[in-house]
Amino acid sequence: MADLDNLPDELHNDAGSIRDEPLTGAYDGESDADNDATEAAVPAALAAAAERRRQLEEEDEYGAGAEERDYQAAGGYGDDDMDGGDGGDDDGRNYNPEYEQLKALWTSELACPELLPHDAENVSHNVEELARQEEFIEELLQRSKEQRQSREASGELAALMAQMAKMDLDRTRFLLVDLARTRMAKIENHALHNRTLVDRMTEEETSYLKQYGELLERHYRRTVLDHLPKEAWKKLDEPEMVDAPDLEQFVFCRVLETVQIDVTAEKKNLNDDIDEEEEDFGDNVQEHGEGSYLIVMYKNVKELVLDGRVELLM
Amino acid sequence: MNYGQRGRELLQDLKRSDWLPSYNEDGVRAALQEINSHTEELTVLVRAANRASNDPTNGGAPSGPAVENRPSLILHDASIRRNKRCLLAYHAYRIDKLRALRWEMAGTLPDPAKFVLGEAEVDFFTEYDRLVAGHASRTPLAALDWNADQNPPEENFVQVRVVQGGLGNVETEMCGQVELEKGSTHYLPRGDVEHLIRSGAVVQLGGEETF
């Protein structure tokens, strides 16, 4: 199996030997157009891990910061908000907050029975990232082909980097599309109920809701309702007919800030015929500290989720 | 006096079948007819009740139909609502399956499905497809293919075997042109063969097959 930890070092060495430059030149962060492109061949995650190891040996913090700047310049997965001076990252991974946020968004949307507020900025940011990543992969493949043709090197490492970057790209793409699809599915399943939740949807989703609602209504009218004699029975939006999402579903969640959760209403339907001696549990408010993991009925934590103090997990 | 049986039959039909039973035109019509007969009886009763309550011996303002008439009115109204509910549930279940099918098949209605669908449902399918495509093209994610990647991507390359003949060549990003001869096995990028896997033309090998 490939030794992935040392791979970035090998790549640097490989590139260094091709371009006939001293090894240290690659680490000093000297801005050199060629060098930049080579360094950008290493996905940020691996490079940052290697960086950290190097740091522990050399304590060259300036070098790390400069490397990050290089990545950003070449369009790798960098984050403009992260300072160059912020040498080693949290756990050695190049933490891309936008991507993490997208992942959190996707996780909570999947876990939640109802539609959550949308986040247009994050989505558009990630879409731009995608375009940049695509070019970057093209570049890598190009270089790999050239290297193979010119017989300087096997071109394998660049191809491998291209594969990994492509995997990354695929994952981001999947997250974005699946997020959109899940939201659409939720809108469709609870179409009538979502008329009250329009402020959580983007404009396109609102118009989609309307169109889908009309499609549904037309279908029902054509098959059933138009054959009914009286006007009063043709209605589709009586309160008991509206399909609301099941807010009593249990969800896994993680507490981000200390919260108080009222768990009074958790009576299971199965216990209906058993005599309940304590009908009224009184003030059953539980307090949970930050970092605890819970399984709760969604409706008990709904407000907290929307506030952002509790986070849903899959 | 067999109230409610039609509706129940429709729903049991749904429960008994694998995917969808063929559109039960007769069942639907019978249920609607039952509603109509209820309505007729209801109208007769209401008229009779109103006449009775408007009887001068009742003294002045009519307070609605008399108490002894009410149960039958309620019964008919409830039966009508129940039939309506069964009918709507029947249709709703079918279009739910249709929507799932659309995502699976990425927009084309397979022929075997056409046999079980009613006319209105075929129309619904095409309309829904159009709606989804229209929506996808309006969002910022228009450039991405929404039909791809129904599961999180695991591997970049997959091993597939061709089971359908006559597919010709397929153009891939990195491997050039690949000829899809029936029975041949290939190791190709996932994105290029995903639509083929979904349509059943090639089969994904798990890597555990023994020769």
Side-chain angles (χ1 to χ4, degrees):
Chain A
M1 285 299 286
D3 183 4
L4 286 179
D5 275 347
N6 289 328
L7 191 55
D9 293 349
E10 277 181 41
L11 237 203
H12 280 299
N13 296 344
D14 204 11
S17 62
I18 293 174
R19 308 209 181 255
D20 208 42
E21 268 170 352
L23 233 48
T24 49
Y27 301 149
D28 275 357
E30 306 290 345
S31 275
D32 181 348
D34 280 346
N35 226 12
D36 277 357
T38 316
E39 261 144 50
V42 180
L46 287 182
E51 256 316 294
R52 203 158 138 266
R53 249 184 310 118
R54 245 178 275 127
Q55 269 175 24
L56 295 174
E57 296 166 26
E58 296 174 340
E59 287 176 40
D60 179 13
E61 207 173 18
Y62 174 72
E67 292 258 317
E68 285 206 10
R69 252 188 299 120
D70 285 343
Y71 293 134
Q72 290 167 26
Y77 254 157
D79 188 9
D80 292 342
D81 295 339
M82 291 265 266
D83 251 333
D86 200 22
D89 300 305
D90 284 336
D91 26 320
R93 272 186 277 134
N94 196 5
Y95 181 70
N96 185 352
E98 293 291 342
Y99 181 76
E100 296 292 323
Q101 216 183 347
L102 177 63
K103 208 157 71 147
L105 218 57
W106 177 71
T107 314
S108 50
E109 192 77 55
L110 272 193
C112 181
E114 60 171 6
L115 195 66
L116 289 170
H118 75 273
D119 185 353
E121 286 173 42
N122 188 306
V123 168
S124 51
H125 185 279
N126 277 295
V127 170
E128 288 166 23
E129 281 276 345
L130 284 188
R132 260 184 289 155
Q133 278 295 90
E134 286 244 14
E135 288 173 23
F136 173 53
I137 292 177
E138 276 300 316
E139 234 181 276
L140 278 178
L141 288 175
Q142 232 2 66
R143 189 172 329 123
S144 162
K145 217 187 290 184
E146 283 165 17
Q147 285 178 348
R148 248 179 293 148
Q149 282 169 353
S150 63
R151 307 245 175 170
E152 283 173 11
S154 63
E156 272 176 15
L157 280 177
L160 182 60
M161 285 302 131
Q163 291 294 339
M164 290 200 259
K166 184 159 188 300
M167 198 72 226
D168 221 10
L169 175 73
D170 274 348
R171 277 198 232 266
T172 319
R173 231 195 329 224
F174 171 76
L175 280 188
L176 285 172
V177 175
D178 205 50
L179 182 66
R181 275 198 302 238
T182 318
R183 290 179 66 89
M184 263 174 66
K186 282 194 198 173
I187 294 178
E188 290 168 14
N189 286 338
H190 312 298
L192 287 173
H193 175 260
N194 286 337
R195 288 179 304 177
T196 55
L197 292 177
V198 174
D199 49 340
R200 295 194 190 174
M201 304 187 233
T202 64
E203 268 179 42
E204 293 94 5
E205 287 174 348
T206 323
S207 78
Y208 178 75
L209 174 66
K210 224 165 59 109
Q211 287 174 315
Y212 181 73
E214 285 168 13
L215 176 61
L216 259 193
E217 209 178 310
R218 253 181 292 139
H219 182 78
Y220 285 144
R221 275 193 195 287
R222 185 168 158 191
T223 50
V224 174
L225 296 175
D226 278 344
H227 307 287
L228 293 181
K230 282 209 177 176
E231 211 33 61
W233 291 318
K234 292 195 190 183
K235 285 215 261 171
L236 275 177
D237 52 0
E238 285 171 36
E240 62 211 12
M241 291 184 62
V242 172
D243 231 346
D246 183 14
L247 295 180
E248 302 200 345
Q249 195 181 334
F250 278 86
V251 288
F252 287 79
C253 53
R254 182 166 70 113
V255 177
L256 298 171
E257 296 171 11
T258 316
V259 289
Q260 312 225 326
I261 304 180
D262 180 10
V263 294
T264 14
E266 286 187 31
K267 294 186 191 146
K268 288 210 285 236
N269 293 338
L270 299 174
N271 291 338
D272 271 347
D273 31 324
I274 302 175
D275 261 342
E276 292 187 54
E277 282 147 8
E278 315 161 38
E279 270 278 349
D280 188 12
F281 288 99
D283 226 10
N284 204 350
V285 177
Q286 297 175 2
E287 183 167 317
H288 294 280
E290 176 184 346
S292 42
Y293 289 79
L294 305 168
I295 308 180
V296 220
M297 254 206 263
Y298 177 69
K299 69 179 191 207
N300 288 337
V301 286
K302 180 172 146 164
E303 296 300 329
L304 299 167
V305 168
L306 293 174
D307 263 344
R309 299 162 71 193
V310 163
E311 151 183 70
L312 290 177
L313 305 169
M314 273 215 268
Chain B
M1 257 292 182
N2 234 0
Y3 294 160
Q5 288 296 42
R6 300 274 179 274
R8 190 157 162 267
E9 272 166 24
L10 282 179
L11 295 177
Q12 273 189 331
D13 237 1
L14 289 181
K15 195 170 166 192
R16 279 190 221 121
S17 73
D18 262 342
W19 180 62
L20 279 182
S22 44
Y23 186 69
N24 196 347
E25 186 87 43
D26 293 331
V28 171
R29 208 175 304 138
L32 287 171
Q33 223 160 9
E34 201 177 302
I35 295 184
N36 279 332
S37 63
H38 277 299
T39 324
E40 284 167 11
E41 290 192 32
L42 191 59
T43 340
V44 167
L45 282 175
V46 166
R47 227 175 282 146
N50 277 339
R51 245 178 290 132
S53 61
N54 283 340
D55 200 335
T57 55
N58 262 0
S63 58
V67 181
E68 62 265 16
N69 295 328
R70 286 189 207 172
S72 36
L73 298 178
I74 296 178
L75 174 67
H76 283 294
D77 186 61
S79 303
I80 292 173
R81 284 187 200 277
R82 186 181 185 284
N83 274 319
K84 172 186 173 195
R85 187 173 170 183
C86 289
L87 284 170
L88 286 177
Y90 181 74
H91 289 96
Y93 182 83
R94 291 177 73 94
I95 58 181
D96 278 349
K97 292 282 186 192
L98 275 190
R99 280 192 288 137
L101 181 70
R102 188 262 159 210
W103 282 108
E104 224 182 301
M105 293 280 132
T108 50
L109 185 59
D111 281 330
K114 282 211 192 94
F115 291 127
V116 293
L117 298 178
E119 208 182 283
E121 294 173 336
V122 175
D123 287 343
F124 178 85
F125 188 90
T126 26
E127 275 291 320
Y128 178 68
D129 185 34
R130 210 168 48 84
L131 195 61
V132 168
H135 179 247
S137 62
R138 275 192 298 262
T139 62
L141 305 176
L144 307 173
D145 180 12
W146 282 39
N147 291 323
D149 282 345
Q150 308 273 6
N151 298 315
E154 280 182 1
E155 287 290 332
N156 240 344
F157 278 78
V158 287
Q159 207 174 25
V160 290
R161 182 182 297 145
V162 184
V163 289
Q164 231 179 54
L167 291 166
N169 294 349
V170 84
E171 185 74 39
T172 65
E173 294 170 16
M174 305 186 200
C175 313
Q177 274 219 353
V178 178
E179 177 158 347
L180 295 175
E181 203 186 306
K182 179 166 178 181
S184 59
T185 315
H186 303 280
Y187 192 57
L188 293 171
R190 197 179 23 86
D192 297 321
V193 288
E194 199 177 344
H195 70 282
L196 290 171
I197 295 178
R198 234 181 305 130
S199 68
V202 310
V203 149
Q204 184 173 351
L205 300 179
E208 291 149 3
E209 272 84 349
T210 52
F211 291 88

